[in-house]
Amino acid sequence: MAEIVEDFQALGERERLQLLLEFSQGLRPLPPELEGNLEKMERVDECQSPVFIAVEVDDANAVHLHVAAPPEAPTTRGFAGVLQDGLEGLPADVVLDLPADVCHRLGLEQAVSPLRMRGMTGMLARVKRQVRVATAA
């Protein structure tokens, strides 16, 4: 995740938005057990678009994030893609230790609305909550 933040910080405002859109195109499809089963996922109410998240923590304590976000919401999908790529395979304790402002460190406040930033912060909060629940079990 730190590498992604550095990539964003190294760019100008316009290029940051372009990179966010590239992440939207790289959002991985849902695994078969979640495809068409959004009720098995948690909705992120802070997002304007219908975004659903499911987190798995495997036997090696590695985090795997699954996200459903509509194609007509590229900014939201971009944020989801950043989190998916940035958190994939990280140990659960590392994910839980991420600072709450990591989303703001991307430097997108001037390029996207505060409501969209709140949505990304909401996504991260849901991920951390699900990781806590999974590791407590």
Side-chain angles (χ1 to χ4, degrees):
M1 189 67 182
E3 190 174 305
I4 291 173
V5 169
E6 287 176 18
D7 289 346
F8 273 91
Q9 289 178 350
L11 298 172
E13 184 177 320
R14 178 170 287 220
E15 292 82 14
R16 288 177 187 165
L17 191 54
Q18 181 59 43
L19 182 56
L20 184 66
L21 295 177
E22 289 173 21
F23 273 100
S24 76
Q25 296 164 355
L27 190 63
R28 293 186 295 280
L30 293 174
E33 65 272 12
L34 293 176
E35 185 65 45
N37 294 305
L38 296 180
E39 71 279 358
K40 294 181 178 180
M41 302 176 77
E42 183 176 1
R43 180 160 182 165
V44 181
D45 293 326
E46 294 89 345
C47 291
Q48 288 179 301
S49 303
V51 175
F52 297 84
I53 289 181
V55 174
E56 293 177 49
V57 179
D58 66 22
D59 293 339
N61 216 31
V63 171
H64 306 284
L65 175 59
H66 307 291
V67 183
E72 62 273 7
T75 303
T76 301
R77 284 180 64 84
F79 282 143
V82 165
L83 290 176
Q84 192 176 60
D85 284 2
L87 304 180
E88 179 61 31
L90 288 179
D93 59 331
V94 171
V95 172
L96 292 174
D97 286 342
L98 281 173
D101 71 340
V102 72
C103 305
H104 294 277
R105 294 180 186 188
L106 299 174
L108 291 164
E109 286 86 0
Q110 302 303 316
V112 299
S113 71
L115 192 55
R116 297 230 185 265
M117 293 303 298
R118 195 178 108 215
M120 186 175 185
T121 302
M123 284 185 225
L124 180 59
R126 295 293 189 306
V127 168
K128 290 173 117 180
R129 189 192 63 70
Q130 288 187 30
V131 168
R132 269 190 226 88
V133 169
T135 55

